[in-house]
Amino acid sequence: MTAPLTPPHQPPPHDPDWPPPPPPMLGPAGDPITAAEVLQGVLVTLVSAVAGAVLGVLWLNLAPRVLLISDGKGVYLRNSEGEAAIGSDGTFVLLALAFGAVAALVVFLARRKGGVPLVLGLALGGVLGSLLAWGLGTYFGPTSDVVAHAKAVGPNVAFEAPLELNLAAAAMLAWPLAAMIVHLALTALFGPRDPDPEPWDRPKAYDQGPGRS
């Protein structure tokens, strides 16, 4: 007598009463990056960089001015206790944060699915836009040749100091950080969700006795 190949209390293979095995659990595997997504990221970078010109114009017009005065021998601050220099940095940072938040909102509304190229485009575009704004503000602002400017206006006449960023490194990061944080928050709150795995039928109960039906 030979032993049966089917283990005891187990249905034979291909039993129609036995439910199929559950499907494998699939993780949230990321889709491959397409050429279209790369182009979208490049477009976001270029548009953000160009928007830096608007930031530069706003900074140039809204930043408080530091006033200098000359006595014919040297150049001094007209108000040594003024906070205009700090206000210039604060104005740039606040404007950059606003530009980053708006850029993230526009990108999210245009493409809710998101993607790595878009996030990189927001970050790189924010840095380039900040650099352009800084360059435009300092170029079109008061001249950086303070001595020549003091000689041109004459002694005891107040004139504007060059527009500068004392915390330039931190100011350059305000736009990209705001853009990435806002985009991440919008994606987490309102982005598309992965569909839940379909439930499978539970296995039916089988009698373990010899007379199971």
Side-chain angles (χ1 to χ4, degrees):
M1 179 180 295
T2 59
L5 297 178
T6 303
H9 312 305
Q10 293 291 335
H14 309 297
D15 190 340
D17 294 333
W18 187 254
M25 298 296 293
L26 300 178
D31 296 331
I33 298 176
T34 63
E37 292 176 336
V38 174
L39 291 177
Q40 291 171 358
V42 173
L43 180 62
V44 170
T45 302
L46 295 177
V47 173
S48 299
V50 173
V54 181
L55 173 59
V57 173
L58 291 176
W59 179 50
L60 179 61
N61 289 276
L62 298 178
R65 296 291 191 264
V66 178
L67 296 180
L68 304 176
I69 194 169
S70 173
D71 60 358
K73 297 180 180 179
V75 179
Y76 310 95
L77 288 171
R78 183 181 181 183
N79 184 6
S80 59
E81 297 181 356
E83 299 179 352
I86 300 177
S88 176
D89 286 45
T91 301
F92 188 97
V93 170
L94 290 177
L95 289 172
L97 291 174
F99 270 67
V102 171
L105 177 61
V106 171
V107 169
F108 176 77
L109 293 178
R111 182 173 172 80
R112 291 179 178 268
K113 185 179 179 181
V116 175
L118 290 179
V119 176
L120 294 179
L122 284 172
L124 182 57
V127 173
L128 295 178
S130 298
L131 290 174
L132 179 60
W134 183 20
L136 289 177
T138 54
Y139 181 79
F140 290 102
T143 177
S144 58
D145 193 345
V146 176
V147 176
H149 198 178
K151 292 179 179 180
V153 300
N156 301 322
V157 177
F159 61 96
E160 294 181 354
L163 194 59
E164 297 178 345
L165 283 177
N166 298 312
L167 301 175
M172 294 300 104
L173 296 178
W175 182 335
L177 286 179
M180 289 188 294
I181 292 175
V182 172
H183 189 270
L184 177 63
L186 291 174
T187 303
L189 293 175
F190 307 107
R193 299 289 189 270
D194 293 332
D196 295 332
E198 296 182 359
W200 55 86
D201 297 332
R202 293 183 177 180
K204 298 179 180 180
Y206 288 89
D207 296 332
Q208 296 185 359
R212 71 176 183 88
S213 57

